[in-house]
Amino acid sequence: MASKALSTTIARKLLRSSGQRRFGNVSRTLRGPQGVGGWFTEKMQRLASDLRADKSEADKDKEAVDNAIAQIGFANHRGKGRWEIKGTEEKGYGIFTRKPFAKDEMVFSARALWKSPRRTSHSLQTNWEEHIIMDAPAIFLNHSCEATVGLLPNEQGAYDFVALRPLEVGEEIVIDYGMAEFKPTAIEKCLCGTPACRGTKINFEDSREVIRAKYGKYYAP
């Protein structure tokens, strides 16, 4: 098993060498007895343990994002044929479909890396006193007032993300932050540009009736 420093270095080299951020032939050096999926799961578990150390929420948030970016190639291997994390011109990274999804089909499931009583720039609220940082690809979810996926609480302390309508290949997988965030988010004003854009009223407290009517069961209870 490669060390944490070595595997992160390899991941960064992969990202620099592949415009599509694909896993490539280097995967053969990291497979081990559990295969790539087992290696990636163990890697994220170790990251979650590191994040539980005595650090500020802001530091843990940044560390989680930095590690997730370094692991994009491995995450995309796990989502091969279903979804892909890639860069966008205006929003940094985003998640895009690699296959069609039927309405109500689960697109992917997330796991909580760590929990906090306070919101951070990349967290998602799960109850009144808990905010979580999720693993990849969920940590790269962007907001739209016209979400393509909804969410359901899962047994991994996070959410499952489900198609709200039929999705075509190449569509961005986006959520409505108001599905989970009760109070105003870090986004002062939404710029999604959809006809349904709520401007400054992204959070659930300010738009609860719209969110309930629009997303049915697919928002945080």
Side-chain angles (χ1 to χ4, degrees):
M1 181 69 69
S3 68
K4 180 176 180 179
L6 176 59
S7 57
T8 299
T9 299
I10 292 172
R12 290 186 185 279
K13 288 182 178 178
L14 279 171
L15 290 176
R16 289 196 296 268
S17 64
S18 172
Q20 296 299 316
R21 301 182 180 85
R22 299 194 186 282
F23 198 78
N25 294 330
V26 181
S27 64
R28 287 196 291 269
T29 68
L30 298 174
R31 286 185 183 277
Q34 300 180 58
V36 175
W39 182 90
F40 183 78
T41 299
E42 182 176 338
K43 180 75 176 177
M44 296 308 288
Q45 288 173 342
R46 289 166 59 190
L47 170 59
S49 177
D50 291 345
L51 290 174
R52 285 193 290 269
D54 186 18
K55 302 175 183 177
S56 72
E57 276 80 4
D59 287 342
K60 289 188 288 186
D61 184 287
K62 183 179 184 302
E63 184 174 345
V65 174
D66 288 346
N67 276 278
I69 291 173
Q71 300 298 327
I72 284 176
F74 301 111
N76 281 343
H77 184 83
R78 186 163 57 94
K80 186 176 181 180
R82 295 183 60 83
W83 46 261
E84 179 183 26
I85 304 163
K86 61 182 181 179
T88 68
E89 292 185 0
E90 298 179 349
K91 298 184 290 186
Y93 290 100
I95 315 166
F96 296 82
T97 59
R98 293 298 302 275
K99 67 174 285 291
F101 287 91
K103 184 178 183 297
D104 297 320
E105 181 179 355
M106 188 170 77
V107 179
F108 60 82
S109 181
R111 183 172 62 87
L113 294 178
W114 59 273
K115 304 175 182 180
S116 170
R118 290 173 290 277
R119 177 187 296 111
T120 69
S121 59
H122 291 86
S123 67
L124 203 61
Q125 190 170 358
T126 53
N127 61 46
W128 287 109
E129 299 178 348
E130 185 175 277
H131 302 261
I132 62 169
I133 285 288
M134 297 178 288
D135 60 356
I139 195 170
F140 295 109
L141 280 165
N142 288 318
H143 165 81
S144 173
C145 297
E146 197 68 69
T148 55
V149 295
L151 52 84
L152 290 173
N154 64 23
E155 295 180 355
Q156 302 180 86
Y159 295 107
D160 292 335
F161 295 92
V162 181
L164 292 171
R165 57 171 174 77
L167 301 179
E168 300 299 326
V169 175
E171 288 198 61
E172 185 174 4
I173 300 167
V174 288
I175 63 168
D176 187 326
Y177 289 166
M179 292 173 173
E181 298 294 334
F182 186 77
K183 292 291 186 180
T185 68
I187 302 175
E188 294 183 1
K189 184 177 181 179
C190 178
L191 300 174
C192 70
T194 67
C197 183
R198 301 194 302 276
T200 59
K201 297 182 178 181
I202 298 173
N203 58 300
F204 185 82
E205 184 179 32
D206 290 335
S207 303
R208 66 185 72 198
E209 296 308 320
V210 173
I211 291 169
R212 285 171 175 160
K214 190 167 192 164
Y215 301 125
K217 64 180 181 180
Y218 293 124
Y219 68 93

